[in-house]
Amino acid sequence: MTVARGGRLPNTIDEAMQQLNSSVDVDSALYREDIRGSQAHARGLARAGVISREDADTLVQGLEQVRSEIEAGKFEWDPAREDVHMNIEARLTEIVGPVGGKLHTGRSRNDQVATDLRLYCRGSIDTIIEAIAELCRVLLDRSETEVAALMPTYTHLQRAQPSRLSHHLMAWQEMLCRDAERLRDARLRLNESPLGAGAVAGSGFPLDREGVAEELEFGRPMRNSIDATASRDFLMEVASALAILGVHLSRICEEIVIWSSSEFGFLTLSDAFSTSSSMMPQKKNPDVAELIRGKSARLIGHVTALYTLEKSLCFGYGRELQEDKEPIFQACRDALQSLRALTGALGTCTFQHERLRAALDRGHVCATDLADYLVLQGVPFREAHHIVGGLVREAEERAVQLSELTPEVLAAAHTTLAQPEAQDALDPEKAVERRGLIGGPARARILAEVSAARARWQHFAS
Ligand code: ARG
């Protein structure tokens, strides 16, 4: 308590104020980053000649001991010591004696906490990118092994044109790849060192800001001490990237819920990723997908909390910034949990090829291909569209598919439609294979995209 309040406020704090004030139950999660930052700062103080080498060694070793106490579960976190920073410094001073009081020379908790958070985000981004890559590996593996499976594409959730299951899975993969890129971009921007910015106005000590930045593997010291201590756009950026990721995972999960319904029957989740009902014995529910949709709501909430926290903040530091920890910690946790569960669910589910293929038999999914055939016979596309539209109407009235219309009916619409090649246009497999252009679903194109994506992931971090 006296450590936190210093000589200016020697009297005890009100109980209600202490509860509001203390953040150690949340920010103790930053102990690794805090210790690493403090060790770099201590060495930097020695290089700058502000403290002796011996003192720096004592501080670094004392901090090591604090770390092992925390990791052994022997550290007693004291809410009266406010936060992770004061708890660690107080214990350090108990261990090493008065020299512990030298650690905070030329430093404030304002540059300290900003440093901790940047280190935390950097590490979390690396873990989350790896989890996205793992999910994408599953999608790539399945795209390859199940490349033969045909299914319709959809627009407005109405059957549109024939395609492959792999084409659909690779669409998810592309979207997730951008999520990883967004995180990588954010990492690049946040990787700067606030240490040396002090409370707000820097320090009069000749601190080795470059050396400290380098030791902490930051790209450079932050250029402005007010900005370094007051800005949290890096948190908004990471949380925004995670909210977008959450929305993407939610979209995938929406499809898993629909696809695993008896109405669609495209996909069966493994038992390990399903749950039952406490009342209805027959139930097998896609809770994994529903829970991930739920996590996306939380992810949007976390980013909203961070935006709102910062929008009325004057430069520099304001104490409400203490509330930035929970949203970013939870955002990282929600994203990771969702990614890992979805990876398991998609790695172990069964895609029902027959049901997927059967969905091509209704809905006139080759109508565009028939119109394209007419275009190749010299009919302007608008006219071809009109002719085939009329045939679909006719097929609907007779309750048959386009491919089941008699040669007489087809010929009446356009003479070339009676030719056998016209029937080729109505074969879904052939329709898919015709679309071998970049971005299309033809088998060779998909397999090439799978290998290209594997190579991209291999070089992703570099
Ligand atoms: N626990 C604070 C936070 O998380 C850091 C301490 C800064 N406190 C202060 N009074 N300047 O932001």
Side-chain angles (χ1 to χ4, degrees):
M1 179 109 41
T2 47
V3 177
R5 289 168 65 74
R8 173 72 174 84
L9 300 169
N11 301 325
T12 50
I13 195 168
D14 183 87
E15 176 59 25
M17 177 55 193
Q18 180 177 303
Q19 283 187 14
L20 182 70
N21 194 37
S22 176
S23 59
V24 71
D25 55 329
V26 172
D27 63 24
S28 56
L30 289 172
Y31 80 86
R32 286 181 213 84
E33 291 80 6
D34 199 66
I35 288 173
R36 189 173 172 200
S38 287
Q39 288 176 329
H41 179 63
R43 290 194 190 98
L45 285 173
R47 280 198 303 278
V50 179
I51 64 171
S52 68
R53 300 254 160 215
E54 295 69 43
D55 283 352
D57 287 347
T58 306
L59 292 170
V60 168
Q61 268 147 39
L63 286 161
E64 267 322 299
Q65 185 176 329
V66 174
R67 186 207 310 274
S68 37
E69 286 179 10
I70 295 172
E71 286 172 358
K74 291 196 197 118
F75 191 95
E76 279 183 32
W77 297 102
D78 181 0
R81 285 173 173 163
E82 273 192 36
D83 54 25
V84 60
H85 322 295
M86 301 306 272
N87 267 267
I88 289 177
E89 189 186 324
R91 178 65 191 132
L92 173 70
T93 305
E94 283 168 12
I95 295 168
V96 303
V99 67
K102 296 190 177 185
L103 176 63
H104 216 51
T105 313
R107 184 178 74 168
S108 153
R109 280 182 292 163
N110 297 352
D111 57 348
Q112 186 178 359
V113 72
T115 304
D116 292 4
L117 277 173
R118 284 172 187 267
L119 290 172
Y120 172 85
C121 284
R122 202 175 68 186
S124 299
I125 285 175
D126 291 344
T127 311
I128 294 168
I129 287 180
E130 185 44 42
I132 298 174
E134 193 54 43
L135 172 56
C136 287
R137 269 193 284 277
V138 165
L139 291 171
L140 293 171
D141 288 348
R142 301 214 68 157
S143 296
E144 203 162 47
T145 53
E146 317 215 22
V147 72
L150 297 182
M151 70 175 284
T153 50
Y154 291 83
T155 64
H156 317 270
L157 198 55
Q158 307 286 318
R159 287 172 201 168
Q161 291 181 280
S163 177
R164 293 184 187 279
L165 170 65
S166 307
H167 194 211
H168 200 108
L169 300 182
M170 290 292 283
W172 293 351
Q173 193 275 146
E174 285 293 320
M175 174 174 86
L176 292 166
C177 189
R178 287 192 296 277
D179 289 320
E181 284 169 4
R182 259 185 287 275
L183 287 167
R184 185 178 59 182
D185 293 349
R187 188 194 196 285
L188 203 66
R189 250 185 308 283
L190 68 79
N191 199 30
E192 297 184 340
S193 175
L195 276 180
V200 59
S203 169
F205 294 111
L207 300 176
D208 177 15
R209 291 201 65 201
E210 278 97 352
V212 171
E214 199 175 324
E215 177 172 347
L216 294 173
E217 296 172 85
F218 284 126
R220 62 178 108 36
M222 291 189 73
R223 289 185 289 260
N224 181 294
S225 62
I226 306 173
D227 176 51
T229 47
S231 296
R232 294 290 184 273
D233 51 294
F234 69 101
L235 292 183
M236 291 192 279
E237 206 173 338
V238 175
S240 301
L242 294 178
I244 297 173
L245 168 69
V247 168
H248 287 167
L249 298 178
S250 182
R251 287 186 74 177
I252 294 174
C253 286
E254 178 76 9
E255 298 206 302
I256 293 177
V257 170
I258 293 172
W259 285 10
S260 59
S261 68
S262 341
E263 283 72 10
F264 269 73
F266 286 0
L267 173 158
T268 311
L269 287 170
S270 66
D271 289 356
F273 287 91
S274 305
T275 49
S276 193
S277 155
S278 58
M279 183 178 174
M280 298 169 282
Q282 86 284 8
K283 288 284 269 179
K284 177 172 171 181
N285 295 325
D287 290 28
V288 62
E290 294 165 294
L291 287 164
I292 293 170
R293 282 193 314 208
K295 293 290 182 197
S296 76
R298 288 172 51 90
L299 284 159
I300 293 165
H302 304 321
V303 77
T304 308
L306 288 167
Y307 284 2
T308 315
L309 197 56
E310 229 189 307
K311 74 177 186 53
S312 306
L313 196 71
C314 299
F315 283 84
Y317 177 89
R319 188 60 189 281
E320 61 264 55
L321 286 180
Q322 179 157 292
E323 299 300 332
D324 60 13
K325 316 288 175 308
E326 236 168 343
I328 196 69
F329 292 170
Q330 292 188 1
C332 292
R333 197 196 56 185
D334 289 339
L336 258 185
Q337 277 183 353
S338 301
L339 284 165
R340 288 178 176 155
L342 187 57
T343 303
L346 285 173
T348 57
C349 71
T350 309
F351 290 107
Q352 304 295 354
H353 290 203
E354 280 178 23
R355 290 295 296 257
L356 289 159
R357 177 68 183 77
L360 290 169
D361 294 339
R362 295 272 168 278
H364 316 286
V365 291
C366 289
T368 310
D369 297 90
L370 195 62
D372 289 350
Y373 165 80
L374 284 174
V375 167
L376 292 175
Q377 313 310 311
V379 181
F381 179 74
R382 271 292 148 239
E383 197 184 326
H385 185 283
H386 188 78
I387 293 170
V388 176
L391 284 172
V392 169
R393 212 151 94 117
E394 201 141 348
E396 286 285 299
E397 276 161 14
R398 293 165 196 236
V400 297
Q401 292 299 296
L402 266 183
S403 55
E404 294 162 342
L405 287 172
T406 60
E408 294 72 37
V409 174
L410 291 168
H414 194 272
T415 46
T416 64
L417 287 176
Q419 290 164 10
E421 299 83 69
Q423 278 303 314
D424 276 358
L426 294 171
D427 178 338
E429 176 107 45
K430 287 183 179 147
V432 170
E433 284 308 288
R434 264 194 300 277
R435 276 178 270 121
L437 78 176
I438 295 173
R443 185 188 189 102
R445 176 61 70 181
I446 294 288
L447 291 176
E449 284 302 333
V450 169
S451 332
R454 281 196 206 288
R456 273 199 304 277
W457 278 113
Q458 210 125 52
H459 299 112
F460 190 83
S462 46

